[in-house]
Amino acid sequence: MFSLERWQEIFETISKNKLRTFLTGVSVASGIFILIILLGVSVGMQNGIEKQFQNDASNIINIYPGYTTLEYKGLNPKRRIQFTNEDYELALGDKEEVVHKSSDFQIWSRLISYKKEFGSYRIQGVMPDFQYLENASIIEGRFINQLDLDHLEKHIIIGNRVKKDLFKDNSPLGEYISLSGLNFKVVGVYTDPGGDREEARVYIPLTTAQVVFGAGINIRSMGFTLPKVDDYDEALAESNKFTAKIERQLKAKLLVNPLDTSGIFISNNIENTKEIYQLISAMKIFFWFVGIATLLAGIIGVSNIMLIIVKERTKEIGIRKALGAKPMSIVAMVLHESVFVTAFSGLIGLILALALLEFVGPMVELDFLINPSVNFNIAMTTVVILIVAGAVAGFFPAWRGAKIKPIDALRDE
Amino acid sequence: MIEIKDLHKSYQIGKNSLHVLKGINFSVKEGELVSIMGSSGSGKSTLLNILGILDEADSGSYNLDGVPIKNLNERIAANYRNKFLGFIFQSFNLINYKSALDNVALPLYYQGISRGERTDRAMSYLEKVGLADWASHKPNELSGGQKQRVAIARALASQPKVLLADELTGALDTKTSYEIMDLIQQINDEGKTILVVTHEEDIAQMTKRIVHLKDGVIINDEKVEQVRAIENV
Ligand SMILES: Nc1ncnc2c1ncn2[C@@H]1O[C@H](COP(=O)(O)OP(=O)(O)O)[C@@H](O)[C@H]1O
Ligand SMILES: [Mg+2]
């Protein structure tokens, strides 16, 4: 079937019909180019949208202490529970799945002053990941880091409200503010969608807070996030399993009755994220639809080209048949040639599109379009599908061309 | 070589049926040069297409070199066309993106002959029609007479039993027509069986036998004294 003779015949046809080959090639190449770029852009949009909703979608679990209501192992009810660093270590201990983690210690209200300005704000000693447990985003400087923790640095991150109160329009970075008689260096400013109330706080390293406020190893609460799972039900199950385990471990260590519902509170926001999960999966379906629609358009485009080519060659087909070409050899000739041209130019379109995405993609960082890119396998599959679809779609006109009676094809108008 | 009996052919045009061939009986022996004459619309091309296995009769029988031509599938029809028949058309029907040489070689491609051999053979037929120097030219670089010579070389290349020519001089001026007829006569002199459809009396006179068609029947079939084309050029 794929003899050298036919390759020669086809190369001859291709090279002697440069314009037709060129036009076919350009339309197929540009079709595939556009398709791949579209796929890339839709990936970029998914990236963008996912990033927008990332924080809202993440499964945040907070654990607070309370008062016991049931007696347990000889201990009276109404006992106040106090968490320590050890409880945090225990809770975190064997949970490899945890993404973000922090414990915190807080002072409800303290006077903070800078030069002549002062105000009362909530003080929180936290760990670096706390930023993600709260919806705080840094607008100047940075958040607490591990070095701050390790060296008990007197570094402070202030809320936007605090900044406005104490510094007006000046940059607070590098300035020292006074808190409980100590000077803390401002290293960052954050904003929070919660507004003024949430921005009227300051963050300092947990270790520093424990020393400054004489807390020893006490902490107030702890928080964790779990990895994002694509399916909501799965996320819910994982999350419930996780909290149940922590609850069991903490209750055992702190001697809380397993049936006591107020010794330890675990808040889990997974149920609030349900709508976001639904939004993201609706979005996935939408982009699937866009992808398939584009692919379909590509298939129709390629098939159309095939149809035109066969139509244009009707007379030639008639001549070849009069000279003794068998129907199958006509079909094979048309398909062989068109698949070759489609595959070749399709690959060129693919390479150009991949190159563009590769070099330009990483530079794109818009709100709803981040790093448009395509998976190479998906791109290859797309091209193969197009070639196969083109061949299948080209088969019918080729077949019809082969079925035309030579006299009909050769009739002079 | 050719034997047809009681051949009928109708065309369906909408609800009407146009009876074009109404019982044709005729035979051609090997080495004959026959012209089929008749006014336009008399059914000459229809008859030639049936003889060329490009079309099929509604009824009647057709034997080509002893082989009954009836209900052939496309593959076999293609094979017979390739082996038995060479076509020459009024409008040449050359493939315009192929050189003269490649056009002549095309029937050999469908015989499965290797490229080298195809080129050799095609070249010798181009020499025979006097166009060896034009082998690499495309049809659009050739005159009408030259195109028809290429077409004749192509028809001969597959070494067919019968050459079928439909108005082969229809697109040519008188002088060129006679040159082409001279070539046809030479080929016939070498023993090739040739059927020529024409409505021109002078062309018909250059064959050896004239079959006159009118309203779908043969009204006259006679041997004639052949006029040598070369004497009229
Ligand atoms: N495919 C066709 N469909 C319908 N009518 C046809 C077809 N081919 C030929 N005819 C008609 O049949 C008649 C004979 O045509 P044709 O054999 O071409 O005549 P000639 O070659 O003698 O001029 C004409 O009237 C023509 O219009
Ligand atoms: Mg005619």
Side-chain angles (χ1 to χ4, degrees):
Chain A
M1 220 14 207
F2 288 86
S3 64
L4 183 64
E5 292 286 323
R6 204 167 71 220
W7 275 108
Q8 282 170 340
E9 179 72 16
I10 279 158
F11 274 118
E12 197 177 23
T13 312
I14 288 174
S15 62
K16 295 204 173 146
N17 288 282
K18 286 198 182 67
L19 185 64
R20 184 177 76 202
T21 310
F22 177 76
L23 290 178
T24 314
V26 165
S27 21
V28 171
S30 57
I32 291 203
F33 180 83
I34 290 167
L35 179 64
I36 299 292
I37 295 292
L38 261 174
L39 283 178
V41 166
S42 83
V43 168
M45 285 178 76
Q46 284 195 52
N47 288 344
I49 291 172
E50 277 185 17
K51 189 169 177 199
Q52 294 284 316
F53 291 109
Q54 201 174 37
N55 286 340
D56 303 317
S58 54
N59 181 196
I60 302 170
I61 291 157
N62 281 305
I63 305 167
Y64 307 96
Y67 289 86
T68 58
T69 51
L70 302 173
E71 79 89 31
Y72 187 57
K73 294 197 171 161
L75 292 166
N76 288 331
K78 297 207 174 115
R79 183 170 54 94
R80 185 174 168 273
I81 299 297
Q82 172 67 54
F83 289 156
T84 65
N85 291 351
E86 286 166 11
D87 301 321
Y88 172 72
E89 296 300 332
L90 172 75
L92 189 59
D94 53 353
K95 316 287 190 309
E96 275 160 17
E97 65 269 40
V98 165
V99 181
H100 299 299
K101 52 193 186 286
S102 176
S103 59
D104 81 300
F105 179 82
Q106 75 179 31
I107 301 294
W108 289 103
S109 179
R110 269 292 143 83
L111 198 71
I112 293 180
S113 63
Y114 172 73
K115 295 186 177 159
K116 290 191 186 104
E117 310 291 339
F118 59 89
S120 279
Y121 305 101
R122 188 196 290 189
I123 321 292
Q124 271 183 289
V126 297
M127 295 178 166
D129 279 356
F130 195 82
Q131 187 188 354
Y132 305 106
L133 301 174
E134 208 58 41
N135 241 339
S137 46
I138 292 294
I139 47 177
E140 272 182 82
R142 61 169 176 84
F143 200 71
I144 303 283
N145 63 26
Q146 193 59 40
L147 285 175
D148 295 332
L149 278 184
D150 294 346
H151 298 120
L152 281 69
E153 295 288 359
K154 291 199 287 287
H155 287 164
I156 191 163
I157 286 89
I158 63 178
N160 208 23
R161 176 78 257 153
V162 181
K163 182 207 153 186
K164 281 182 199 152
D165 290 348
L166 302 183
F167 295 90
K168 316 294 180 215
D169 291 331
N170 302 318
S171 172
L173 293 186
E175 299 295 322
Y176 286 86
I177 60 179
S178 165
L179 161 60
S180 289
L182 294 169
N183 284 331
F184 279 77
K185 185 181 174 187
V186 179
V187 294
V189 180
Y190 73 89
T191 179
D192 191 295
D196 265 9
R197 205 175 59 84
E198 309 253 304
E199 288 178 353
R201 295 180 192 174
V202 297
Y203 294 119
I204 59 175
L206 173 71
T207 48
T208 312
Q210 285 174 326
V211 170
V212 170
F213 301 108
I217 59 166
N218 284 356
I219 57 173
R220 184 185 71 102
S221 69
M222 45 186 127
F224 305 101
T225 67
L226 291 180
K228 220 178 121 285
V229 180
D230 283 344
D231 176 56
Y232 174 74
D233 293 327
E234 202 181 314
L236 183 65
E238 296 269 314
S239 171
N240 287 340
K241 208 174 92 193
F242 179 84
T243 52
K245 188 167 181 192
I246 286 193
E247 188 176 354
R248 212 174 336 103
Q249 288 171 324
L250 288 178
K251 280 181 172 173
K253 176 161 187 293
L254 297 164
L255 302 174
V256 178
N257 189 320
L259 301 174
D260 196 335
T261 51
S262 48
I264 293 171
F265 296 104
I266 298 185
S267 86
N268 185 345
N269 78 336
I270 185 87
E271 270 161 52
N272 305 335
T273 67
K274 186 166 184 175
E275 273 159 29
I276 289 154
Y277 268 95
Q278 284 168 343
L279 180 72
I280 289 176
S281 67
M283 202 179 69
K284 284 226 164 86
I285 291 169
F286 172 72
F287 279 117
W288 254 106
F289 179 76
V290 169
I292 287 177
T294 353
L295 190 62
L296 223 65
I299 290 172
I300 291 170
V302 170
S303 324
N304 226 1
I305 293 167
M306 303 277 176
L307 209 91
I308 291 167
I309 288 179
V310 174
K311 193 151 187 120
E312 194 200 271
R313 297 182 76 174
T314 308
K315 185 144 192 153
E316 181 192 338
I317 289 172
I319 296 171
R320 285 175 181 269
K321 290 189 76 172
L323 296 180
K326 298 186 175 67
M328 273 322 286
S329 91
I330 297 289
V331 173
M333 174 185 79
V334 172
L335 283 188
H336 199 156
E337 185 192 316
S338 54
V339 166
F340 179 76
V341 173
T342 314
F344 187 76
S345 44
L347 275 178
I348 288 180
L350 173 73
I351 288 167
L352 289 180
L354 288 181
L356 183 70
L357 287 176
E358 187 67 24
F359 292 118
V360 178
M363 292 185 229
V364 176
E365 186 82 39
L366 306 169
D367 269 0
F368 277 94
L369 185 62
I370 295 171
N371 189 16
S373 53
V374 282
N375 176 311
F376 183 73
N377 289 335
I378 291 181
M380 266 321 269
T381 313
T382 311
V383 173
V384 170
I385 288 177
L386 267 190
I387 292 167
V388 171
V392 170
F395 178 83
F396 293 101
W399 183 246
R400 210 176 54 200
K403 281 284 166 208
I404 296 176
K405 280 200 204 162
I407 38 163
D408 291 331
L410 293 176
R411 201 187 314 284
D412 301 305
E413 274 75 41
Chain B
M1 184 61 67
I2 289 175
E3 281 266 350
I4 56 177
K5 285 208 183 79
D6 202 25
L7 209 67
H8 285 261
K9 176 75 182 176
S10 302
Y11 287 116
Q12 212 64 38
I13 307 165
K15 279 179 189 154
N16 302 322
S17 171
L18 181 66
H19 203 169
V20 179
L21 299 182
K22 303 168 179 166
I24 306 281
N25 290 289
F26 121 110
S27 62
V28 178
K29 287 200 243 342
E30 190 164 357
E32 277 197 279
L33 173 55
V34 182
S35 57
I36 299 169
M37 274 281 283
S39 55
S40 181
S42 57
K44 307 181 297 289
S45 296
T46 304
L47 177 59
L48 198 77
N49 287 337
I50 292 170
L51 295 177
I53 327 182
L54 295 170
D55 203 352
E56 229 183 336
D58 300 331
S59 65
S61 74
Y62 171 22
N63 274 283
L64 175 59
D65 198 29
V67 180
I69 305 299
K70 186 96 191 160
N71 298 327
L72 302 181
N73 70 30
E74 274 288 338
R75 278 176 58 86
I76 296 173
N79 189 21
Y80 284 3
R81 283 199 288 269
N82 187 255
K83 258 189 1 205
F84 293 147
L85 303 163
F87 294 95
I88 304 163
F89 303 94
Q90 176 175 359
S91 52
F92 322 122
N93 282 332
L94 299 174
I95 292 180
N96 53 27
Y97 64 81
K98 284 181 180 283
S99 68
L101 186 71
D102 290 337
N103 265 287
V104 176
L106 195 57
L108 301 174
Y109 171 72
Y110 289 113
Q111 286 186 347
I113 290 167
S114 74
R115 194 177 180 78
E117 166 120 31
R118 287 206 302 266
T119 311
D120 282 355
R121 281 218 225 163
M123 200 60 210
S124 72
Y125 283 103
L126 271 184
E127 268 164 32
K128 191 180 177 69
V129 300
L131 286 180
D133 294 342
W134 296 81
S136 61
H137 289 253
K138 301 270 178 61
N140 63 5
E141 297 159 351
L142 303 176
S143 71
Q146 287 173 322
K147 284 186 215 178
Q148 200 57 296
R149 283 168 188 273
V150 174
I152 291 169
R154 181 179 66 183
L156 290 172
S158 58
Q159 295 174 308
K161 301 229 181 272
V162 180
L163 278 193
L164 300 173
D166 192 350
E167 309 272 10
L168 83 167
T169 60
L172 306 175
D173 61 53
T174 310
K175 182 170 178 288
T176 317
S177 298
Y178 290 177
E179 283 167 359
I180 292 294
M181 281 313 291
D182 178 45
L183 182 60
I184 292 289
Q185 286 175 342
Q186 286 174 35
I187 294 163
N188 175 247
D189 291 344
E190 289 167 18
K192 189 73 75 192
T193 313
I194 306 177
L195 258 76
V196 176
V197 156
T198 182
H199 64 275
E200 292 166 279
E201 185 65 38
D202 52 344
I203 297 298
Q205 290 300 332
M206 292 175 181
T207 64
K208 293 175 178 168
R209 174 182 161 197
I210 301 178
V211 175
H212 217 107
L213 217 58
K214 191 176 182 193
D215 295 332
V217 290
I218 294 175
I219 53 166
N220 196 13
D221 183 346
E222 56 177 4
K223 293 225 159 62
V224 292
E225 188 63 34
Q226 187 182 35
V227 176
R228 294 302 293 195
I230 189 80
E231 291 157 15
N232 292 282
V233 173

